[in-house]
Amino acid sequence: GDVPIDTSTLRGAAASTGRWLGAAVNTGALSDDPDYVALLVSEFGAITPENATKWGPLQPDAETWDFTVADSMVDLAELHDMRVKGHTLVWHNQLPDFISESMDPADLRSAMQAHFETTLSHFGTQIADWDVVNEALLSDGSMRESVFLSALGEDYVSEAFTMAAEYAPDARLFYNDYGIEGYNDKSTATVALVTDLIADGAPIHGVGLQMHLTHGYAPTRDELKDNIDRLWALGTVAHISEMDVQIRHLQGPESERLLAQAMTYYDITAACVESEGCEQMSFWGFTDRYSWIDTAYGADDPLLYDDDLVAKPARTAVHQALLGEPMTGCEDSRLTNGDFESGLDDWISWGGSLSTVSDPVYAGGSAVRSSERTAEWQGPVQSVLDRIGDGLLYEGTAWVRVGNASEAEVKMTLQWIDDAGEHWVPLNWVTATDEDWTELSGVVNFSDTRTTGEVVDAHLYIEGPDAGVDIYADDVSLHPVCPDTSVPVSR
């Protein structure tokens, strides 16, 4: 009978939805890092050679071909039943030196023909998918200047797909680009390009959405799903083809930065599994040990596993999204002693007097009372400077009531100081009474409300009533808000 799928791995979790999950393979790591290889083959069901199947590495000069590294990757994939995507036949970068900007059209076409015939014939059916043309568009939707455009005109894209199909009739052929994941001029131009290719009879099967993201600058889940749907409506599948998520710009403790990154991974993965047209999801590497981002942009931690090959929250989030499970990691309050069972530990007051009381309490044996208040902004306060970070939505909750007044407005406020000065952002406010406990809850998007510059101080506090009115509070918490999954997986 069929061997049951091991859904504890990323590969198995993806397979349970009928999808492939892949990673780009680093040449040096493949030969020198057995731990890297072991993790690759256990967790991933597809590979893309990071550089080994690009034109320049395959054909260093007009007379020489070198398939050594690419063959070793394909052999590894065959040994472990992994799908291979070739990357990339036509691209303006990493070309052989003999491909020059001033090439005669006939010479360029002849070189392309030899490149396609030799490469595609060599691999045959070992490589199931090919990125035929990579990054042919600019952000405004116009065609990118390149040797191919200048020598062959805009039809070079159609020519390349037709040529690829001639030498790899069984492969599925993809257009691949960055910045086309959401709705913009470039993604709309991509849809138009695919539409024209289909109308021309060019054999195109899918579009790769590279998905090189920075947390906070990513398409929403719905936007991505809509974009995949419009490609699916053309008869083409979508691959998330080169995903990584940069977080070096985020402030806050590592726990918050990695949680923010995990949220982006979760939403993109969820969008894929919720979209019938999303067939494969691949990351541009899988461990921070070998990420290209460090070299290209600066030190970062953009992938699913850290430098020591230890799984990060991002790996957990991808796995949960593949299985249609809610994302975890947001449950714990960033406040300590929010129930005041440890007295006033970690709590201060900006004026007035704080004390714990055993009556009234909302839950447990203790609550806090803020009395002798001489200003409306006085109340219980706790520092959150080292416990919250950019890029996250935080929910604050508390149970409150008042004394010395029948009712009063009570609010929860996030305060911080950065390069632009001091800021106060209310999460919410309620009308509290002296007769019963009222829930006070609200959310604040720390990154949306914050100016640039280093945060040097941050506090959460409860305030609001006129001077002289006592505030009682219990079960105070502040925690991040995780993305939600309630949509069934599309199989």
Side-chain angles (χ1 to χ4, degrees), residues 56-315:
L58 283 181
Q59 192 185 10
D61 61 61
E63 308 303 324
T64 308
W65 298 84
D66 185 359
F67 291 98
T68 310
V69 176
D71 282 345
S72 67
M73 292 186 182
V74 171
D75 289 346
L76 180 76
E78 290 206 325
L79 184 63
H80 296 280
D81 193 26
M82 305 167 89
R83 191 175 184 91
V84 184
K85 175 179 268 192
H87 175 82
T88 170
L89 293 169
V90 172
W91 188 32
H92 61 276
N93 279 334
Q94 290 182 256
L95 291 167
D97 290 340
F98 67 88
I99 303 295
S100 68
E101 288 297 331
S102 57
M103 269 186 105
D104 175 86
D107 291 340
L108 178 59
R109 197 172 271 117
S110 174
M112 283 176 63
Q113 190 101 18
H115 163 48
F116 278 52
E117 180 177 14
T118 306
T119 301
L120 297 174
S121 299
H122 174 86
F123 291 111
T125 56
Q126 290 181 299
I127 293 184
D129 305 319
W130 275 97
D131 286 331
V132 176
V133 177
N134 193 48
E135 299 174 5
L137 298 172
L138 296 173
S139 58
D140 64 1
S142 63
M143 296 290 286
R144 179 189 297 277
E145 288 298 329
S146 70
V147 59
F148 304 103
L149 182 67
S150 57
L152 305 177
E154 294 187 1
D155 285 344
Y156 87 82
V157 177
S158 181
E159 279 194 55
F161 276 91
T162 301
M163 199 179 288
E166 179 182 352
Y167 297 113
D170 298 318
R172 279 132 26 95
L173 310 177
F174 286 76
Y175 175 73
N176 191 61
D177 214 329
Y178 64 90
I180 60 172
E181 297 85 12
Y183 272 78
N184 53 41
D185 291 343
K186 191 173 183 180
S187 64
T188 298
T190 300
V191 171
L193 176 65
V194 173
T195 302
D196 289 345
L197 288 171
I198 293 169
D200 289 345
I204 180 169
H205 303 96
V207 175
L209 313 176
Q210 289 186 13
M211 207 70 68
H212 294 295
L213 301 178
T214 298
H215 177 80
Y217 302 91
T220 65
R221 194 192 305 185
D222 285 342
E223 186 181 13
L224 176 55
K225 286 161 63 176
D226 287 346
N227 203 33
I228 292 171
D229 285 348
R230 63 176 176 166
L231 293 168
W232 181 240
L234 297 176
T236 50
V237 298
H239 283 191
I240 292 167
S241 57
E242 305 183 18
M243 187 173 179
D244 42 36
V245 181
Q246 299 173 47
I247 55 170
R248 69 187 173 283
H249 64 296
L250 297 179
Q251 285 196 58
E254 184 181 45
S255 61
E256 304 301 275
R257 296 167 63 245
L258 295 181
L259 180 63
Q261 177 183 63
M263 289 181 180
T264 295
Y265 271 106
Y266 183 90
D267 267 335
I268 300 303
T269 308
C272 180
V273 299
E274 291 163 8
S275 300
E276 190 178 359
C278 187
E279 176 191 74
Q280 179 166 313
M281 185 167 183
S282 290
F283 311 101
W284 209 241
F286 60 90
T287 165
D288 296 335
R289 186 182 292 185
Y290 301 111
S291 174
W292 72 291
I293 295 294
D294 288 1
T295 304
Y297 296 106
D300 212 317
D301 303 297
L303 292 165
L304 305 185
Y305 293 81
D306 68 14
D307 288 333
D308 297 320
L309 305 181
V310 175
K312 293 159 58 180
R315 190 271 179 199

